[in-house]
Amino acid sequence: AWLQLDDDTAEISGEIRLVEGALQPGTKVEFRQDDYAARAFEFHVTGDVRGSFEVSSDEHGNKAEGRVNLRQFGIRRSAAEKPDIVGDGLVVVATTRDLQLSELASLEAEAKLDLGQALVPDLSRLSELMPPSAGVALVGGSGRAGGGFDLELPALAGRGAIQIALDDVQVRYGELDLHGRMQIDLTLATAALPAGRFDLAGTSIALTEFRSPQLVGDEPPFAAPEAPEGGAGWWARIELPEGAIDLPPEPAARGHLRVRLRDSVPFIGLFETRRNLPRWVERLLTVHDLQAESGFAYADEAFTLDEFSMPFKKATIRARVRFGAEHKTGILLVGWRKLGLGLRFDDGRRRL
């Protein structure tokens, strides 16, 4: 089952009013349970629950509202020992006008989730999600998360958005230590929540103010373009015009991304190709204010960039690369005027 709720005993008090099997105004129930634990997909949720259920009436008739407040909560992946997200005041509010108890299986209702005041306490806990062959490790950082999700019953179709602002993000990239900021704006939609598949179209990721102590005084001789969000340092903006993700136990993702970069250096670093290249290619690869597009896929602990294309200086870089758990393989094609270069690589082995 995609959802498992805590079946421990809760403290319940209140009054229920029924007429011919239908809940009536005046019904009011309150409940509480400390150290509540539930699981959705492969995510474990814990906290102290305070909830209520009440039936009232308005100009449209009788209606019921259920409210659950999760205090001092934590959310962690099954593979994690500590919570990936902690916070206070996660609230779920559900409303319905279907008050006949015999029709609960086909209940029509609307539910709204508000993440409340949430924190990402330690970004390094998510580093294990990165393919080791990419040479990128999340070393540290923390931030804030917020947003909400709306759900319709009985179809369990939903839509929402989550914003994550990360400060002092610390990344180990090859031999470089990088520090900066990251803003993640997730757009989520699902036709059926139990399937665990979400549309990500409209999602964006902004990296800003990234610097490295190893590169101080090693800036290029020409001015770099200012970040779209302002500020100095290296920056990038990634947008997903289309994309989808499948939640665990069989995580996967696929889609198309567009990216704008301050310069091409980090991208070329993924291929570790700068050394032993012809001089004309090395000059081409030092470029500012770039835009690129690529397909992407994640499955079986491997991340793939497919049909990557980056045009600049009357030239084009095309690439396909697969970052596996242990190995990195791919091909890089650089074309400029009548000159061209093809590079195939498999981990540290390269062939022009």
Side-chain angles (χ1 to χ4, degrees), residues 60-260:
H60 302 292
N62 296 342
K63 65 175 182 178
E65 177 183 281
R67 179 181 294 267
V68 175
N69 189 326
L70 191 61
R71 301 179 178 178
Q72 303 299 316
F73 68 84
I75 302 174
R76 68 170 179 86
R77 293 162 291 121
S78 292
E81 296 182 357
K82 297 181 179 180
D84 301 307
I85 297 177
V86 298
D88 190 39
L90 187 154
V91 176
V92 179
V93 178
T95 58
T96 182
R97 294 188 184 276
D98 287 353
L99 305 181
Q100 197 71 37
L101 294 182
S102 61
E103 300 177 359
L104 287 180
S106 58
L107 176 71
E108 292 187 3
E110 295 180 351
K112 295 181 178 294
L113 180 148
D114 188 317
L115 194 55
Q117 299 178 355
L119 300 174
V120 179
D122 187 355
L123 195 60
S124 67
R125 297 174 189 171
L126 302 178
S127 191
E128 63 190 61
L129 301 178
M130 308 288 290
S133 66
V136 180
L138 301 173
V139 179
S142 60
R144 305 165 303 282
F149 195 80
D150 296 342
L151 197 62
E152 297 179 358
L153 283 72
L156 291 177
R159 180 177 297 275
I162 296 176
Q163 300 82 38
I164 304 174
L166 299 168
D167 300 321
D168 192 27
V169 175
Q170 302 168 40
V171 179
R172 183 71 177 174
Y173 179 62
E175 298 179 355
L176 298 179
D177 296 308
L178 300 169
H179 303 262
R181 298 176 180 272
M182 180 184 300
Q183 174 71 39
I184 304 173
D185 293 317
L186 283 172
T187 300
L188 302 168
T190 181
L193 183 60
R197 175 169 295 177
F198 291 85
D199 190 308
L200 298 176
T203 291
S204 66
I205 302 173
L207 309 177
T208 56
E209 301 179 32
F210 271 82
R211 298 179 181 275
S212 171
Q214 291 98 331
L215 295 179
V216 172
D218 193 26
E219 289 291 323
F222 47 93
E226 186 174 307
E229 292 81 6
W234 189 86
W235 54 264
R237 181 172 179 82
I238 303 169
E239 297 179 345
L240 272 60
E242 58 182 90
I245 185 170
D246 296 332
L247 296 182
E250 297 182 5
R254 69 211 67 84
H256 188 85
L257 61 83
R258 295 173 183 156
V259 59
R260 185 182 173 197

Side-chain angles (χ1 to χ4, degrees), residues 289-305:
D289 199 7
L290 291 171
Q291 297 187 44
E293 295 190 19
S294 179
F296 71 89
Y298 175 84
D300 300 325
E301 298 184 349
F303 182 77
T304 301
L305 288 175

Side-chain angles (χ1 to χ4, degrees), residues 18-80:
L18 289 171
V19 175
E20 297 180 352
L23 292 166
Q24 300 297 307
T27 294
K28 187 173 184 179
V29 177
E30 295 182 347
F31 56 92
R32 59 179 292 164
Q33 182 177 338
D34 293 337
D35 300 322
Y36 182 85
R39 181 184 63 81
F41 302 103
E42 294 299 311
F43 297 95
H44 296 262
V45 183
T46 59
D48 297 334
V49 168
R50 303 292 183 268
S52 64
F53 178 83
E54 185 173 2
V55 179
S56 60
S57 62
D58 57 20
E59 64 273 18
H60 302 292
N62 296 342
K63 65 175 182 178
E65 177 183 281
R67 179 181 294 267
V68 175
N69 189 326
L70 191 61
R71 301 179 178 178
Q72 303 299 316
F73 68 84
I75 302 174
R76 68 170 179 86
R77 293 162 291 121
S78 292

